[in-house]
Amino acid sequence: MDIEKRRSKLMSLGVNPSEMFIFPSYDQERKLLIVKRTGIEKLEKLYAIRYKYISVTESSYKDGSNVTVILQGETDNHPPIQALGSANPDTTRSLFISDMANKRARHKIVLKIADLYQYDVHSEDESDDFVPAKKFDSSDAVNEAMRKISV
């Protein structure tokens, strides 16, 4: 399915163009369509997906821990689907590794139930490569907090 058909399919499901972007694959022939978290949440509500944890494991990793979540999702009209999400310090910039593993599993289930995963449609949380690194600068937050205190 070409990129425009994938975009049209997502828009027909209520995902706005601002909630998706194209990511060039390492294989120059493929283009991945990436759905932002807000778009995933819309699909999750549209399909009324229910989740059940199958397993959550934590293992040691060279620089911390590795968390793997196996989650099952289903709807009234779709049989159960299982997905695996994992995260460790090398695969996420987030400090909340278990939260990221959970998001990755949930988002895969949403895209599979919406029949999009097979067409190179992915969630922005599936890989840190999909989103440019943001430098965290606490000075703005500190300045804003100080401004509110001094009022």
PDB file of all heavy atoms in Angstrom, residues 56-75:
ATOM      1  N   VAL A  56       4.948  -9.613  32.466  1.00  0.00           N
ATOM      2  CA  VAL A  56       5.851  -8.472  32.573  1.00  0.00           C
ATOM      3  C   VAL A  56       7.114  -9.015  33.210  1.00  0.00           C
ATOM      4  O   VAL A  56       7.064  -9.600  34.293  1.00  0.00           O
ATOM      5  CB  VAL A  56       5.266  -7.346  33.449  1.00  0.00           C
ATOM      6  CG1 VAL A  56       6.250  -6.194  33.572  1.00  0.00           C
ATOM      7  CG2 VAL A  56       3.933  -6.857  32.898  1.00  0.00           C
ATOM      8  N   THR A  57       8.223  -8.875  32.526  1.00  0.00           N
ATOM      9  CA  THR A  57       9.477  -9.374  33.083  1.00  0.00           C
ATOM     10  C   THR A  57      10.522  -8.274  33.081  1.00  0.00           C
ATOM     11  O   THR A  57      10.526  -7.403  32.211  1.00  0.00           O
ATOM     12  CB  THR A  57      10.026 -10.577  32.279  1.00  0.00           C
ATOM     13  OG1 THR A  57      10.212 -10.173  30.917  1.00  0.00           O
ATOM     14  CG2 THR A  57       9.094 -11.746  32.334  1.00  0.00           C
ATOM     15  N   GLU A  58      11.365  -8.324  34.068  1.00  0.00           N
ATOM     16  CA  GLU A  58      12.483  -7.392  34.144  1.00  0.00           C
ATOM     17  C   GLU A  58      13.746  -8.220  34.286  1.00  0.00           C
ATOM     18  O   GLU A  58      13.807  -9.152  35.079  1.00  0.00           O
ATOM     19  CB  GLU A  58      12.323  -6.461  35.338  1.00  0.00           C
ATOM     20  CG  GLU A  58      13.405  -5.410  35.412  1.00  0.00           C
ATOM     21  CD  GLU A  58      13.172  -4.397  36.515  1.00  0.00           C
ATOM     22  OE1 GLU A  58      12.218  -4.533  37.279  1.00  0.00           O
ATOM     23  OE2 GLU A  58      13.983  -3.464  36.603  1.00  0.00           O
ATOM     24  N   SER A  59      14.728  -7.889  33.478  1.00  0.00           N
ATOM     25  CA  SER A  59      15.993  -8.606  33.560  1.00  0.00           C
ATOM     26  C   SER A  59      17.124  -7.591  33.608  1.00  0.00           C
ATOM     27  O   SER A  59      16.955  -6.444  33.215  1.00  0.00           O
ATOM     28  CB  SER A  59      16.153  -9.542  32.359  1.00  0.00           C
ATOM     29  OG  SER A  59      16.035  -8.813  31.160  1.00  0.00           O
ATOM     30  N   SER A  60      18.255  -8.035  34.081  1.00  0.00           N
ATOM     31  CA  SER A  60      19.380  -7.111  34.159  1.00  0.00           C
ATOM     32  C   SER A  60      19.909  -6.862  32.750  1.00  0.00           C
ATOM     33  O   SER A  60      19.786  -7.688  31.854  1.00  0.00           O
ATOM     34  CB  SER A  60      20.464  -7.657  35.071  1.00  0.00           C
ATOM     35  OG  SER A  60      20.987  -8.845  34.541  1.00  0.00           O
ATOM     36  N   TYR A  61      20.464  -5.704  32.598  1.00  0.00           N
ATOM     37  CA  TYR A  61      20.989  -5.274  31.314  1.00  0.00           C
ATOM     38  C   TYR A  61      22.307  -4.582  31.595  1.00  0.00           C
ATOM     39  O   TYR A  61      22.535  -4.110  32.717  1.00  0.00           O
ATOM     40  CB  TYR A  61      19.973  -4.329  30.652  1.00  0.00           C
ATOM     41  CG  TYR A  61      20.294  -3.974  29.242  1.00  0.00           C
ATOM     42  CD1 TYR A  61      20.160  -4.909  28.226  1.00  0.00           C
ATOM     43  CD2 TYR A  61      20.756  -2.705  28.915  1.00  0.00           C
ATOM     44  CE1 TYR A  61      20.467  -4.591  26.922  1.00  0.00           C
ATOM     45  CE2 TYR A  61      21.064  -2.380  27.609  1.00  0.00           C
ATOM     46  CZ  TYR A  61      20.928  -3.323  26.619  1.00  0.00           C
ATOM     47  OH  TYR A  61      21.230  -3.008  25.328  1.00  0.00           O
ATOM     48  N   LYS A  62      23.155  -4.461  30.632  1.00  0.00           N
ATOM     49  CA  LYS A  62      24.496  -3.931  30.886  1.00  0.00           C
ATOM     50  C   LYS A  62      24.489  -2.570  31.573  1.00  0.00           C
ATOM     51  O   LYS A  62      25.328  -2.298  32.413  1.00  0.00           O
ATOM     52  CB  LYS A  62      25.308  -3.870  29.599  1.00  0.00           C
ATOM     53  CG  LYS A  62      24.747  -2.910  28.563  1.00  0.00           C
ATOM     54  CD  LYS A  62      25.566  -2.904  27.302  1.00  0.00           C
ATOM     55  CE  LYS A  62      24.930  -1.931  26.329  1.00  0.00           C
ATOM     56  NZ  LYS A  62      25.590  -1.878  25.083  1.00  0.00           N
ATOM     57  N   ASP A  63      23.539  -1.703  31.263  1.00  0.00           N
ATOM     58  CA  ASP A  63      23.480  -0.372  31.879  1.00  0.00           C
ATOM     59  C   ASP A  63      22.195  -0.149  32.654  1.00  0.00           C
ATOM     60  O   ASP A  63      21.725   0.979  32.779  1.00  0.00           O
ATOM     61  CB  ASP A  63      23.600   0.719  30.805  1.00  0.00           C
ATOM     62  CG  ASP A  63      24.959   0.732  30.148  1.00  0.00           C
ATOM     63  OD1 ASP A  63      25.941   0.471  30.861  1.00  0.00           O
ATOM     64  OD2 ASP A  63      25.037   0.998  28.942  1.00  0.00           O
ATOM     65  N   GLY A  64      21.578  -1.163  33.146  1.00  0.00           N
ATOM     66  CA  GLY A  64      20.326  -0.988  33.881  1.00  0.00           C
ATOM     67  C   GLY A  64      19.467  -2.213  33.741  1.00  0.00           C
ATOM     68  O   GLY A  64      19.933  -3.327  33.894  1.00  0.00           O
ATOM     69  N   SER A  65      18.214  -1.977  33.411  1.00  0.00           N
ATOM     70  CA  SER A  65      17.307  -3.110  33.300  1.00  0.00           C
ATOM     71  C   SER A  65      16.649  -3.141  31.931  1.00  0.00           C
ATOM     72  O   SER A  65      16.594  -2.141  31.222  1.00  0.00           O
ATOM     73  CB  SER A  65      16.234  -3.036  34.387  1.00  0.00           C
ATOM     74  OG  SER A  65      15.420  -1.915  34.171  1.00  0.00           O
ATOM     75  N   ASN A  66      16.175  -4.313  31.583  1.00  0.00           N
ATOM     76  CA  ASN A  66      15.406  -4.505  30.369  1.00  0.00           C
ATOM     77  C   ASN A  66      14.027  -4.987  30.807  1.00  0.00           C
ATOM     78  O   ASN A  66      13.910  -5.919  31.588  1.00  0.00           O
ATOM     79  CB  ASN A  66      16.057  -5.564  29.478  1.00  0.00           C
ATOM     80  CG  ASN A  66      15.313  -5.731  28.176  1.00  0.00           C
ATOM     81  OD1 ASN A  66      15.325  -4.834  27.350  1.00  0.00           O
ATOM     82  ND2 ASN A  66      14.668  -6.854  27.991  1.00  0.00           N
ATOM     83  N   VAL A  67      12.991  -4.323  30.322  1.00  0.00           N
ATOM     84  CA  VAL A  67      11.624  -4.700  30.673  1.00  0.00           C
ATOM     85  C   VAL A  67      10.923  -5.182  29.413  1.00  0.00           C
ATOM     86  O   VAL A  67      10.998  -4.550  28.359  1.00  0.00           O
ATOM     87  CB  VAL A  67      10.851  -3.509  31.293  1.00  0.00           C
ATOM     88  CG1 VAL A  67       9.411  -3.892  31.553  1.00  0.00           C
ATOM     89  CG2 VAL A  67      11.527  -3.049  32.575  1.00  0.00           C
ATOM     90  N   THR A  68      10.258  -6.313  29.546  1.00  0.00           N
ATOM     91  CA  THR A  68       9.471  -6.867  28.447  1.00  0.00           C
ATOM     92  C   THR A  68       8.039  -7.045  28.926  1.00  0.00           C
ATOM     93  O   THR A  68       7.799  -7.612  29.983  1.00  0.00           O
ATOM     94  CB  THR A  68      10.029  -8.228  27.998  1.00  0.00           C
ATOM     95  OG1 THR A  68      11.401  -8.050  27.635  1.00  0.00           O
ATOM     96  CG2 THR A  68       9.260  -8.775  26.819  1.00  0.00           C
ATOM     97  N   VAL A  69       7.113  -6.528  28.135  1.00  0.00           N
ATOM     98  CA  VAL A  69       5.687  -6.622  28.445  1.00  0.00           C
ATOM     99  C   VAL A  69       5.027  -7.404  27.320  1.00  0.00           C
ATOM    100  O   VAL A  69       5.212  -7.083  26.144  1.00  0.00           O
ATOM    101  CB  VAL A  69       5.043  -5.221  28.546  1.00  0.00           C
ATOM    102  CG1 VAL A  69       3.538  -5.315  28.686  1.00  0.00           C
ATOM    103  CG2 VAL A  69       5.646  -4.423  29.685  1.00  0.00           C
ATOM    104  N   ILE A  70       4.283  -8.437  27.682  1.00  0.00           N
ATOM    105  CA  ILE A  70       3.436  -9.125  26.702  1.00  0.00           C
ATOM    106  C   ILE A  70       2.011  -8.805  27.098  1.00  0.00           C
ATOM    107  O   ILE A  70       1.574  -9.083  28.213  1.00  0.00           O
ATOM    108  CB  ILE A  70       3.685 -10.641  26.676  1.00  0.00           C
ATOM    109  CG1 ILE A  70       5.152 -10.919  26.296  1.00  0.00           C
ATOM    110  CG2 ILE A  70       2.731 -11.318  25.679  1.00  0.00           C
ATOM    111  CD1 ILE A  70       5.536 -12.372  26.322  1.00  0.00           C
ATOM    112  N   LEU A  71       1.316  -8.173  26.179  1.00  0.00           N
ATOM    113  CA  LEU A  71      -0.015  -7.655  26.444  1.00  0.00           C
ATOM    114  C   LEU A  71      -0.987  -8.281  25.451  1.00  0.00           C
ATOM    115  O   LEU A  71      -0.623  -8.572  24.320  1.00  0.00           O
ATOM    116  CB  LEU A  71       0.031  -6.131  26.248  1.00  0.00           C
ATOM    117  CG  LEU A  71      -1.025  -5.246  26.824  1.00  0.00           C
ATOM    118  CD1 LEU A  71      -1.098  -5.374  28.340  1.00  0.00           C
ATOM    119  CD2 LEU A  71      -0.715  -3.790  26.476  1.00  0.00           C
ATOM    120  N   GLN A  72      -2.203  -8.468  25.886  1.00  0.00           N
ATOM    121  CA  GLN A  72      -3.258  -8.959  24.998  1.00  0.00           C
ATOM    122  C   GLN A  72      -4.304  -7.866  24.876  1.00  0.00           C
ATOM    123  O   GLN A  72      -4.681  -7.241  25.855  1.00  0.00           O
ATOM    124  CB  GLN A  72      -3.887 -10.214  25.578  1.00  0.00           C
ATOM    125  CG  GLN A  72      -5.015 -10.772  24.720  1.00  0.00           C
ATOM    126  CD  GLN A  72      -5.513 -12.082  25.294  1.00  0.00           C
ATOM    127  OE1 GLN A  72      -4.785 -13.052  25.306  1.00  0.00           O
ATOM    128  NE2 GLN A  72      -6.742 -12.082  25.783  1.00  0.00           N
ATOM    129  N   GLY A  73      -4.754  -7.639  23.663  1.00  0.00           N
ATOM    130  CA  GLY A  73      -5.809  -6.660  23.431  1.00  0.00           C
ATOM    131  C   GLY A  73      -6.914  -7.279  22.617  1.00  0.00           C
ATOM    132  O   GLY A  73      -6.655  -8.141  21.765  1.00  0.00           O
ATOM    133  N   GLU A  74      -8.144  -6.861  22.897  1.00  0.00           N
ATOM    134  CA  GLU A  74      -9.276  -7.374  22.126  1.00  0.00           C
ATOM    135  C   GLU A  74     -10.391  -6.348  22.103  1.00  0.00           C
ATOM    136  O   GLU A  74     -10.402  -5.402  22.886  1.00  0.00           O
ATOM    137  CB  GLU A  74      -9.775  -8.688  22.709  1.00  0.00           C
ATOM    138  CG  GLU A  74     -10.343  -8.577  24.102  1.00  0.00           C
ATOM    139  CD  GLU A  74     -10.764  -9.924  24.674  1.00  0.00           C
ATOM    140  OE1 GLU A  74     -10.414 -10.966  24.100  1.00  0.00           O
ATOM    141  OE2 GLU A  74     -11.444  -9.917  25.695  1.00  0.00           O
ATOM    142  N   THR A  75     -11.294  -6.541  21.187  1.00  0.00           N
ATOM    143  CA  THR A  75     -12.489  -5.702  21.089  1.00  0.00           C
ATOM    144  C   THR A  75     -13.684  -6.648  20.981  1.00  0.00           C
ATOM    145  O   THR A  75     -13.524  -7.863  20.886  1.00  0.00           O
ATOM    146  CB  THR A  75     -12.451  -4.797  19.840  1.00  0.00           C
ATOM    147  OG1 THR A  75     -12.597  -5.609  18.672  1.00  0.00           O
ATOM    148  CG2 THR A  75     -11.161  -4.012  19.751  1.00  0.00           C
TER     149      THR A  75
END
